[in-house]
Amino acid sequence: MKRTTITQVAKEAGVTIGTVSHVINGTAPISAETTERVRRAIKALNYIPNATAKSLRSKKNYTIGLMLPNLNNSFHSKVASAFIDKAYIEGYSVQIHGYEYSLERERRELERLERNNIGTVIIFNGYGDEREIKNFLQKGIPVILADRSSTIAQVPHIKFDNHKIMLDIVSALQKKGYQRIGFFSEPIQLTNLKERFQGYQEALKKCGLSFNPKDVFVRDDLCLDNLKNGYRYMRDILSINEKKTLPDAWIASSDLLAIGMMRAMHECGYQIPADFGVVGFDNTEISGYVNPRLTTVEQNQILLGEKLMEMVKQINCDKKSVENISLEQSLVIRESC
Amino acid sequence: MKRTTITQVAKEAGVTIGTVSHVINGTAPISAETTERVRRAIKALNYIPNATAKSLRSKKNYTIGLMLPNLNNSFHSKVASAFIDKAYIEGYSVQIHGYEYSLERERRELERLERNNIGTVIIFNGYGDEREIKNFLQKGIPVILADRSSTIAQVPHIKFDNHKIMLDIVSALQKKGYQRIGFFSEPIQLTNLKERFQGYQEALKKCGLSFNPKDVFVRDDLCLDNLKNGYRYMRDILSINEKKTLPDAWIASSDLLAIGMMRAMHECGYQIPADFGVVGFDNTEISGYVNPRLTTVEQNQILLGEKLMEMVKQINCDKKSVENISLEQSLVIRESC
DNA sequence: TTGAAAGCGGTACCAG
DNA sequence: CTGGTACCGCTTTCAA
């Protein structure tokens, strides 16, 4: 009924538990003969070591806590998928916690991670959690920030280069003849969006376009249900405003938002890219399969997942010299602008 | 540097560790005064109990292992997201393991779950793992099967009703005037697909249509990268065959497959729904935003996630009377047929 | 090369 | 009500 324990194996093999432990972990030279007997006992009893006990005693821990908003958009789910895949190869397990864009909930979940005795913590986006992060560091639990830059020393981050890409987008749009470029985005709280917003303003300036606060379209609900809320917001915008008072090109903060927008435009009788140009973000797979095919920013989610795993491995060895990583993004030009 | 332990709290409060444990868990009546002192000590030292140690001793365990192919399609990621959300509320944590549609890897991951001392195991799809499942049961670890029916007694499952829905689809298609209905699917190995395939054949019969093996389009690569591979396969099909030799309506085994197919048809100059009717599966959010909007089967992923959590709670109490659950699916008719 | 024993951080039982 | 203590399953000295 119960799991077999190291004690049972030891009894079966006629040795002490210490010896069993040594043959399993190779932590002491054990005679071939004894090793063989222990191996046989392990097989016979179908013994699988209890990682809980092991981690309690050894203080080592191969589970990673992954904090992210949720798995509802393909950006996060792709990264998570790639990360889990790598983690498997490296022998780590990953616990996923979703904070649903709520600061309070993020804090609670972080506490649960600590409770669960997690070995390494990865936080995607998030904000206002400096105290919790410092708490982890104090207790010797390494933290990595993802898709976000960090203000805390000792906490490495990995993110995309948001300045350069905004310039690429704006100048590409300008080259195509668009004159006014709108910024359509979920609330600009997370550092990656802040950077994009900054980059957007800088890019306008560099391209000789003027920044107009009226071209910034942000609504709170845009971070949840991207598709639906992007659609609704754009319908609202189009029903209230005349076309000529609006930007003629739009940079959306995600592909789903962009796709929702495009449907609203389509339903209101506008043509894309003739009436409005649209640029998405993420290059989710679907973006190449909608009509018109969406121009978007390629963010290599798989690469992000992989690099993240590399950082975890590094930070679990050195504990020190882990470099921040900035990943390139590139514009994938298709039909929507 | 280190985490504070119950011993430190006890010392700070001037009591023994047993007493601290009791005030935390309410396992014995402790005077208001002492309780207060302990509480203060906990606060002062920022003490968070170590769930690892707790679980080792108490044999209780609030982490759930979720085995699924991966998080790359929105069906699994939505369910996972909803499930994680519920788990949070109920105080559970969830470890996610992806087996990437590989039997060997599934087995390895299941072993890792056992090693990690998981409390409850949920397996999505999967096959050929009876031995491993029985092993869990033997060790007293409850297993729940999701999106799959089970042949093992004591192992409850939750899945969608695949027979009724296939009849709904086929008769709806027939009513619209389609004559030959194709079945476009990833390999028919998983029980949910088996049931759909069976349901498809039964439905044809009931509707007076004949089943033709040539109308079944299955390719191994279709379970990965649905969008791309659905697209490619359909391009291949259309380039090799004349339209009149093909079905005039298609039931795809997922929305992404359907969307990929539609793009291929579009590029080959065919109109949907005039030349071909297409029905998807999953009602992923995106399916209502593509052109033409996809007719599909609504599978309530959030409901599935929630019900799954309910099953976990039940199975952790009774250990016995957990009922199988069969969820309704419904056809969402939009523009693609 | 192996055995013996001390914990890791908790829980749970028994005394008092 | 509270203290004392054995013990969960394993790792890790220390001796022999």
Side-chain angles (χ1 to χ4, degrees):
Chain A
M1 180 69 188
K2 291 289 189 69
R3 296 179 59 156
T4 69
T5 69
I6 199 172
T7 314
Q8 296 171 44
V9 173
K11 200 170 291 174
E12 171 84 10
V15 295
T16 56
I17 60 170
T19 306
V20 176
S21 176
H22 285 138
V23 341
I24 290 172
N25 301 303
T27 38
I30 303 288
S31 74
E33 196 188 4
T34 311
T35 302
E36 185 49 31
R37 257 187 310 146
V38 171
R39 287 252 146 76
R40 246 201 289 275
I42 289 176
K43 264 246 165 83
L45 300 178
N46 188 22
Y47 169 66
I48 290 179
N50 183 332
T52 302
K54 179 171 181 147
S55 131
L56 179 60
R57 176 65 234 242
S58 69
K59 303 285 182 195
K60 275 171 199 148
N61 191 307
Y62 291 90
T63 107
I64 300 166
L66 194 55
M67 278 283 295
L68 30 71
N70 57 42
L71 259 13
N72 283 332
N73 65 69
S74 83
F75 175 75
H76 288 115
S77 59
K78 287 264 179 186
V79 178
S81 207
F83 182 74
I84 290 173
D85 194 29
K86 281 291 158 213
Y88 162 74
I89 292 165
E90 302 292 340
Y92 287 85
S93 295
V94 4
Q95 229 178 63
I96 296 193
H97 293 251
Y99 58 85
E100 300 290 345
Y101 294 98
S102 145
L103 176 55
E104 193 204 327
R105 177 138 169 202
E106 185 190 345
R107 290 197 176 131
R108 253 198 248 283
E109 290 281 33
L110 285 174
E111 186 188 311
R112 195 171 296 175
L113 285 180
E114 186 177 347
R115 189 181 300 269
N116 287 355
N117 200 22
I118 289 296
T120 313
V121 173
I122 296 172
I123 305 176
F124 262 82
N125 309 111
Y127 62 98
D129 47 12
E130 278 74 17
R131 228 188 41 201
E132 285 73 18
I133 293 175
K134 281 182 184 157
N135 174 44
F136 279 120
L137 294 184
Q138 244 178 43
K139 310 218 168 152
I141 304 165
V143 176
I144 299 173
L145 264 20
D147 200 22
R148 159 183 179 184
S149 49
S150 88
T151 50
I152 307 175
Q154 282 190 284
V155 180
H157 67 248
I158 178 167
K159 63 184 199 64
F160 293 102
D161 180 348
N162 285 302
H163 288 271
K164 182 175 167 302
I165 192 66
M166 292 310 289
L167 182 58
D168 291 350
I169 298 174
V170 170
S171 56
L173 248 21
Q174 194 182 30
K175 211 165 284 171
K176 298 231 176 194
Y178 296 102
Q179 316 263 349
R180 264 181 71 190
I181 298 171
F183 190 84
F184 190 96
S185 166
E186 41 214 296
I188 306 175
Q189 236 151 8
L190 274 22
T191 60
N192 61 340
L193 289 180
K194 277 186 191 155
E195 287 181 9
R196 283 193 211 163
F197 186 54
Q198 255 185 328
Y200 160 72
Q201 292 172 285
E202 291 168 10
L204 289 179
K205 193 176 289 174
K206 273 196 192 153
C207 292
L209 300 170
S210 62
F211 167 68
N212 183 347
K214 282 191 182 160
D215 294 345
V216 177
F217 293 80
V218 169
R219 205 160 76 174
D220 276 349
D221 63 0
L222 254 35
C223 62
L224 268 5
D225 280 324
N226 284 210
L227 232 21
K228 186 169 64 187
N229 289 325
Y231 166 78
R232 286 191 181 160
Y233 189 23
M234 184 48 82
R235 281 217 64 135
D236 292 349
I237 292 170
L238 292 175
S239 66
I240 294 172
N241 302 281
E242 284 184 72
K243 182 181 179 311
K244 62 182 176 189
T245 68
L246 292 171
D248 56 358
W250 303 76
I251 303 173
S253 63
S254 78
D255 281 353
L256 294 188
L257 239 32
I259 294 170
M261 291 163 69
M262 291 203 299
R263 168 142 297 271
M265 291 165 174
H266 177 79
E267 287 183 8
C268 291
Y270 293 109
Q271 299 294 319
I272 303 162
D275 295 318
F276 292 116
V278 176
V279 177
F281 245 93
D282 294 348
N283 193 20
T284 51
E285 216 186 340
I286 192 71
S287 66
Y289 292 81
V290 292
N291 260 332
R293 301 171 70 230
L294 182 66
T295 290
T296 185
V297 174
E298 157 86 16
Q299 301 190 316
N300 194 329
Q301 290 115 179
I302 295 176
L303 184 63
L304 176 53
E306 288 178 356
K307 289 281 176 196
L308 214 36
M309 190 62 232
E310 282 176 29
M311 291 176 86
V312 169
K313 283 200 301 181
Q314 268 186 46
I315 213 170
N316 282 337
C317 298
D318 296 7
K319 297 263 187 194
K320 295 185 195 297
S321 58
V322 182
E323 302 276 323
N324 292 327
I325 298 182
S326 181
L327 262 25
E328 283 284 317
Q329 319 184 68
S330 57
L331 192 57
V332 180
I333 295 182
R334 289 202 274 245
E335 302 166 356
S336 67
C337 79
Chain B
M1 179 71 188
K2 291 288 189 69
R3 296 179 59 156
T4 69
T5 69
I6 199 171
T7 314
Q8 296 171 44
V9 173
K11 199 170 293 175
E12 171 84 10
V15 294
T16 56
I17 59 170
T19 306
V20 176
S21 176
H22 284 137
V23 342
I24 290 172
N25 301 303
T27 38
I30 304 287
S31 75
E33 198 189 3
T34 312
T35 301
E36 185 50 29
R37 256 186 311 146
V38 171
R39 287 252 147 76
R40 245 201 289 276
I42 289 176
K43 264 248 164 80
L45 300 178
N46 189 22
Y47 169 65
I48 290 179
N50 184 331
T52 302
K54 179 170 181 148
S55 134
L56 179 60
R57 178 64 236 239
S58 70
K59 304 284 179 196
K60 276 173 198 145
N61 192 308
Y62 292 91
T63 109
I64 300 165
L66 195 55
M67 279 282 295
L68 29 71
N70 58 41
L71 258 14
N72 283 331
N73 66 68
S74 84
F75 175 76
H76 288 115
S77 60
K78 287 264 180 189
V79 177
S81 206
F83 183 75
I84 290 173
D85 193 29
K86 282 291 159 214
Y88 163 74
I89 292 165
E90 302 293 340
Y92 287 84
S93 295
V94 5
Q95 229 177 62
I96 295 192
H97 294 250
Y99 59 83
E100 300 291 344
Y101 295 98
S102 146
L103 176 55
E104 192 204 328
R105 177 139 169 201
E106 185 189 345
R107 290 197 177 132
R108 253 198 247 283
E109 290 281 34
L110 285 174
E111 185 188 311
R112 194 170 297 177
L113 285 180
E114 184 177 348
R115 188 181 300 270
N116 286 356
N117 200 23
I118 289 296
T120 313
V121 173
I122 296 173
I123 305 176
F124 262 82
N125 311 112
Y127 61 100
D129 46 12
E130 279 73 18
R131 226 187 45 200
E132 285 74 17
I133 293 175
K134 280 180 184 156
N135 175 43
F136 279 120
L137 295 183
Q138 245 178 43
K139 310 219 167 152
I141 304 166
V143 176
I144 298 172
L145 264 21
D147 201 21
R148 158 182 179 184
S149 48
S150 88
T151 50
I152 306 176
Q154 282 190 284
V155 180
H157 67 247
I158 178 166
K159 62 185 199 62
F160 292 103
D161 180 348
N162 285 302
H163 288 272
K164 182 176 166 301
I165 191 67
M166 292 310 290
L167 183 58
D168 290 351
I169 298 174
V170 170
S171 55
L173 248 21
Q174 193 182 29
K175 211 165 284 170
K176 298 229 178 196
Y178 295 102
Q179 317 263 350
R180 262 181 73 190
I181 298 171
F183 191 85
F184 189 96
S185 166
E186 41 214 296
I188 306 175
Q189 234 152 9
L190 275 21
T191 61
N192 62 339
L193 289 180
K194 277 186 191 155
E195 287 181 10
R196 283 192 211 163
F197 186 55
Q198 254 186 326
Y200 160 71
Q201 291 172 287
E202 291 169 11
L204 288 179
K205 193 176 289 173
K206 274 196 192 151
C207 293
L209 299 171
S210 62
F211 168 67
N212 184 349
K214 283 191 182 160
D215 294 346
V216 177
F217 294 79
V218 170
R219 205 160 76 174
D220 275 349
D221 64 358
L222 254 34
C223 62
L224 269 3
D225 281 325
N226 284 208
L227 232 22
K228 186 170 64 189
N229 289 326
Y231 166 77
R232 286 191 181 159
Y233 189 23
M234 183 49 81
R235 282 217 64 136
D236 293 348
I237 292 170
L238 292 175
S239 66
I240 294 171
N241 303 280
E242 284 186 72
K243 181 182 179 311
K244 62 182 175 192
T245 69
L246 292 171
D248 55 358
W250 303 76
I251 303 173
S253 62
S254 78
D255 282 353
L256 295 189
L257 240 31
I259 293 171
M261 291 163 68
M262 292 203 299
R263 169 143 296 272
M265 291 164 174
H266 177 78
E267 287 183 7
C268 291
Y270 294 108
Q271 298 295 318
I272 301 162
D275 295 317
F276 292 117
V278 176
V279 177
F281 245 94
D282 293 349
N283 193 21
T284 50
E285 216 187 340
I286 191 72
S287 66
Y289 292 81
V290 292
N291 261 331
R293 301 172 68 228
L294 183 65
T295 291
T296 184
V297 174
E298 157 85 16
Q299 301 191 316
N300 194 330
Q301 289 116 181
I302 295 176
L303 184 63
L304 176 53
E306 289 178 354
K307 289 282 177 196
L308 213 36
M309 190 62 232
E310 283 176 27
M311 291 176 86
V312 169
K313 284 200 301 182
Q314 269 186 45
I315 213 171
N316 281 337
C317 297
D318 296 7
K319 296 263 185 195
K320 295 183 195 297
S321 57
V322 182
E323 302 276 323
N324 292 327
I325 297 182
S326 182
L327 261 26
E328 283 284 315
Q329 319 185 69
S330 58
L331 191 57
V332 180
I333 295 183
R334 290 201 274 243
E335 301 167 356
S336 68
C337 79

